[in-house]
Amino acid sequence: MKRLLFALLCLFSLTARASEPVATTADATEAEGFQPGEMILHHIGDSHEWHWFSLGEDHYTTYLPVLAYRAGHGVSAFSSRELAEGKTYDGLKLEHEHLVSEDGAKVYDFSITKNVASLILSAAVLLLVFTAVARGYAKRGTEAPRGIQSFFEPIIVFVRDEVAKKSIGPKYERYMPYLLTVFFFIWFNNLMGLMPGGANLTGNIAVTMTLAIITLLITLFSSNKNYWAHIFATPGVPKALLPIMIPVELIGVFVKPFSLMVRLFANITAGHIVTLSFIALIFIFRNIGVAPVTLAFGLFIFFLELLVAILQAYIFTLLTAMYIGGAVEEHHDADYQMGGGDGATPAQVH
């Protein structure tokens, strides 16, 4: 994936440089009309409006509410339509999708942006879907599931048996609500981000950071004395090495959620960039012969992203369960011996 991104960036660079010496004034004007970098960044970034698509000169956009507070000016509430195309309204304007005040005053932006609207929409979808699933269980009890219930039950059972039970152990039930919420929240938003006009919510590092922080807090508040004993008195490590090991173990506590945050953010964002880059090649070369090739590769990456959508949800949930399992695990003498009194190996103890 990294090599593919690097190759595409080089291709964009070479294409731009090759066209400069021979471009006429009209060609230069036409080339300046399409900026692939700006198009891609606009798609993967947040904004104060939700642009769905364009047909010729017509743009189909939903303008979202702008809510801002400035000291000495109070609260400003209006539609983002007032700020479209670089306009200024009530002393406010948008600079690279950041709300700024003309007089330089500090602006506290509480607007309903594209990502916030997508978050609300996905939460509503999750509530509707799983309310229907819950009604199905309440109505049919232990009978064979039907409809939407029959689709989600195998996935829920998989998360319970293959993720929660195996990673956390006997105490898994109390963490199932969070694990299921994380799994379906990430999966649904990954899929919604692949829809035309969809927001790149799980490709927003603020969202992935929030999920990682929640995982960290649950892990720390669920931890027992054995978890902290392993950090401050690592079994089997000579006491002389503890001054080195303790900082390493403490750093590891925060590196784990950091890796969760970056992994989800990077994988989802990279998929969007690669797909859009292939599509942008059509407009860069301005040759219809390029279209079938770039569209084929773009569709391949798109269908690959459908797999990545559920895979990233699974990985995030699995690692979360593993971190929680390490925090609630009870001490076993056999963990630090070649075998227990009954001949059990460390793997068999678990």
Side-chain angles (χ1 to χ4, degrees):
M1 185 69 75
K2 292 180 180 179
R3 293 180 180 178
L4 184 58
L5 282 172
F6 180 73
L8 287 171
L9 289 174
C10 291
L11 184 60
F12 287 149
S13 177
L14 290 173
T15 304
R17 292 177 183 176
S19 63
E20 287 176 1
V22 296
T24 63
T25 304
D27 291 337
T29 303
E30 183 179 356
E32 290 176 0
F34 176 71
Q35 300 293 333
E38 292 182 6
M39 181 271 292
I40 294 172
L41 290 176
H42 176 75
H43 173 81
I44 65 175
D46 199 4
S47 65
H48 286 75
E49 61 184 29
W50 197 323
H51 178 73
W52 299 98
F53 59 92
S54 298
L55 290 176
E57 299 297 326
D58 297 324
H59 303 282
Y60 294 85
T61 302
T62 300
Y63 292 97
L64 302 170
V66 175
L67 302 172
Y69 173 79
R70 291 172 293 166
H73 297 272
V75 178
S76 298
F78 51 90
S79 170
S80 59
R81 182 190 293 271
E82 306 295 342
L83 301 178
E85 301 177 357
K87 293 187 292 186
T88 301
Y89 184 82
D90 197 21
L92 296 170
K93 62 180 180 178
L94 287 174
E95 291 185 357
H96 303 291
E97 290 302 334
H98 292 287
L99 205 58
V100 298
S101 178
E102 284 191 309
D103 59 5
K106 175 68 175 178
V107 179
Y108 297 92
D109 191 359
F110 302 98
S111 304
I112 306 297
T113 61
K114 182 178 179 180
N115 281 342
V116 175
S118 180
L119 178 63
I120 295 172
L121 178 61
S122 64
V125 171
L126 284 168
L127 285 173
L128 289 173
V129 168
F130 288 100
T131 299
V133 173
R135 282 200 302 264
Y137 280 110
K139 181 180 179 180
R140 285 181 284 273
T142 57
E143 296 179 11
R146 297 178 184 176
I148 193 171
Q149 181 189 355
S150 64
F151 176 80
F152 284 102
E153 182 173 298
I155 303 174
I156 295 171
V157 171
F158 175 82
V159 174
R160 183 194 67 187
D161 294 344
E162 300 298 325
V163 176
K165 280 187 178 180
K166 290 186 176 180
S167 300
I168 300 176
K171 300 179 180 179
Y172 76 92
E173 288 186 355
R174 63 186 299 188
Y175 302 102
M176 278 296 294
Y178 176 65
L179 295 178
L180 289 173
T181 300
V182 165
F183 178 84
F184 286 108
F185 175 82
I186 294 175
W187 185 27
F188 277 37
N189 279 287
N190 286 349
L191 293 177
M192 290 173 66
L194 294 174
M195 297 174 64
N200 183 32
L201 185 64
T202 44
N204 187 311
I205 199 165
V207 174
T208 61
M209 180 183 67
T210 302
L211 294 175
I213 289 175
I214 294 173
T215 294
L216 174 63
L217 292 176
I218 291 176
T219 301
L220 294 180
F221 283 107
S222 300
S223 59
N224 55 30
K225 61 180 181 180
N226 297 315
Y227 175 77
W228 296 107
H230 182 85
I231 293 176
F232 291 101
T234 308
V237 175
K239 292 184 178 180
L241 293 178
L242 287 179
I244 299 175
M245 291 301 301
I246 291 174
V248 171
E249 293 287 344
L250 287 174
I251 291 172
V253 171
F254 297 97
V255 167
K256 291 174 181 177
F258 180 80
S259 67
L260 285 178
M261 172 187 73
V262 174
R263 181 184 292 105
L264 180 59
F265 158 75
N267 278 281
I268 300 303
T269 301
H272 286 262
I273 292 175
V274 172
T275 303
L276 291 170
S277 297
F278 279 120
I279 303 302
L281 289 175
I282 300 173
F283 303 96
I284 291 175
F285 287 104
R286 299 194 295 277
N287 188 333
I288 194 171
V290 179
V293 179
T294 56
L295 284 176
F297 278 104
L299 284 173
F300 171 75
I301 297 297
F302 175 81
F303 286 111
L304 186 63
E305 285 301 302
L306 293 177
L307 176 62
V308 171
I310 191 169
L311 183 62
Q312 287 301 317
Y314 167 72
I315 291 173
F316 195 102
T317 307
L318 176 63
L319 292 176
T320 296
M322 291 176 64
Y323 299 156
I324 295 173
V328 302
E329 183 181 19
E330 297 296 337
H331 176 73
H332 296 288
D333 290 336
D335 289 344
Y336 312 114
Q337 299 175 7
M338 293 302 295
D342 58 353
T345 65
Q348 291 171 329
V349 171
H350 296 285

